[in-house]
């Protein structure tokens, strides 16, 4: 599902999209973790600049990230309220927490915006099959199916047809249709993945550009500790 929904894949021709899936996944994880450790405004601005650079190279429209942020906006509101009312009652610090969380959402969005669900499933499979006594095939397919359902899940939060706001608490208007969609999606996705499993699990070989990208990400992440 395209369109910038959280968990969707954005199909564009960019240098980042052409990188190896493992490189993209590791890079996003490194940036997300290091950005989450920021404790100063200068560090927040630094990783904000890094994100803008990644955004420019990826050729993904900023609007897609804003769309992905909309269904998660209640989390930001709760985060601000919890830090202000139950914390130090410092507006500046509470806003800092919200901005840092927003940056983490933006970075984590790159995981699916840049990587196809099949490629993420293949990465899961390669990790699980290293672990003894683990059903690598079943676990990877289950996670891949769950990831492919994420954009469908968040699409249910979009108002349509003049439905009332209280529909989120209505079994008839929200929960029942969501459950029905989840069951049908799960059945179709799992069957499709198992039928063409070997073909879906194939990944390209790494190139020089992939190693260069990992080196650059490590340098950029390390730079955040000195800002």
């Amino acid at each position: 599902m395209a369109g910038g929904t959280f968990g969707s894949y954005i199909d564009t021709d960019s240098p980042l999209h052409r990188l190896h899936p493992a490189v993209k996944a590791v890079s996003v994880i490194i940036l997300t973790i290091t950005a989450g450790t920021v404790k100063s405004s200068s560090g927040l601005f630094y990783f904000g600049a890094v994100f803008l650079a990644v955004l420019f190279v990826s050729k993904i429209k900023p609007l897609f990230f804003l769309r992905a942020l909309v269904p998660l906006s209640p989390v930001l509101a709760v985060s601000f309220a919890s830090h202000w009312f139950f914390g130090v009652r410092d507006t500046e610090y509470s806003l800092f927490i919200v901005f840092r969380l927003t940056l983490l959402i933006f970075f984590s969005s790159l995981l699916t915006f840049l990587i196809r669900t099949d490629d993420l499933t293949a990465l899961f499979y390669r990790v699980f099959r290293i672990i003894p006594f683990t059903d690598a095939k079943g676990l990877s397919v289950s996670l891949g199916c769950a990831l492919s359902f994420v954009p469908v899940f968040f699409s249910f939060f979009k108002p349509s047809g003049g439905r009332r706001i209280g529909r989120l608490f209505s079994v008839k208007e929200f929960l029942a249709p969501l459950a029905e969609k989840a069951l049908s999606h799960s059945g179709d996705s799992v069957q499709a993945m198992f039928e063409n499993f070997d073909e879906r699990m194939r990944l390209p070989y790494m190139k020089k550009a992939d190693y260069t990208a990992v080196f650059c990400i490590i340098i950029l992440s390390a730079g955040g500790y000195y800002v």
Side-chain angles (χ1 to χ4, degrees):
M1 178 179 294
T5 304
F6 188 83
S8 61
Y9 172 73
I10 308 298
D11 190 7
T12 62
D13 184 19
S14 74
L16 294 186
H17 281 78
R18 291 193 292 268
L19 290 175
H20 192 277
V23 172
K24 291 185 284 188
V26 171
S27 299
V28 169
I29 291 172
I30 291 176
L31 286 174
T32 303
I33 292 176
T34 51
T37 61
V38 168
K39 297 181 179 180
S40 65
S41 298
S42 58
L44 195 64
F45 281 116
Y46 174 84
F47 280 103
V50 171
F51 173 76
L52 290 177
V54 172
L55 181 63
F56 176 77
V57 178
S58 67
K59 298 181 180 180
I60 298 177
K61 297 179 180 179
L63 180 60
F64 289 162
F65 288 92
L66 296 178
R67 287 178 180 175
L69 186 65
V70 169
L72 298 175
S73 55
V75 177
L76 301 179
V78 170
S79 178
F80 176 85
S82 61
H83 281 85
W84 198 90
F85 288 104
F86 305 105
V88 295
R89 291 184 177 273
D90 186 340
T91 302
E92 183 178 349
Y93 177 74
S94 299
L95 288 175
F96 171 81
I97 295 298
V98 170
F99 287 138
R100 185 175 65 180
L101 183 57
T102 300
L103 191 60
L104 294 182
I105 293 174
F106 285 162
F107 273 125
S108 61
S109 298
L110 287 169
L111 192 64
T112 55
F113 281 2
L114 294 175
I115 311 175
R116 298 179 186 274
T117 302
D118 285 352
D119 291 337
L120 282 171
T121 305
L123 293 176
F124 289 141
Y125 177 67
R126 279 159 174 73
V127 172
F128 288 140
R129 68 181 182 181
I130 300 175
I131 306 174
F133 311 108
T134 300
D135 182 10
K137 187 174 182 179
L139 285 174
S140 59
V141 167
S142 297
L143 285 175
C145 177
L147 281 173
S148 65
F149 184 71
V150 170
V152 179
F153 172 78
F154 280 108
S155 68
F156 271 75
F157 288 90
K158 295 181 179 180
S160 59
R163 293 180 180 178
R164 56 189 175 84
I165 297 177
R167 72 187 181 90
L168 295 180
F169 304 96
S170 170
V171 174
K172 180 180 179 181
E173 295 185 43
F174 180 76
L175 297 180
L178 179 62
E180 182 180 356
K181 184 66 176 179
L183 289 175
S184 62
H185 177 86
S186 176
D188 295 340
S189 299
V190 169
Q191 182 178 0
M193 286 185 180
F194 274 122
E195 287 180 352
N196 305 295
F197 185 78
D198 292 335
E199 183 178 350
R200 289 174 178 266
M201 294 303 101
R202 293 176 183 173
L203 290 175
Y205 292 103
M206 293 185 64
K207 304 175 183 178
K208 290 183 179 180
D210 297 314
Y211 295 103
T212 303
V214 172
F215 177 76
C216 291
I217 290 298
I218 292 176
I219 296 298
L220 287 174
S221 299
Y225 288 102
Y226 297 96
V227 177

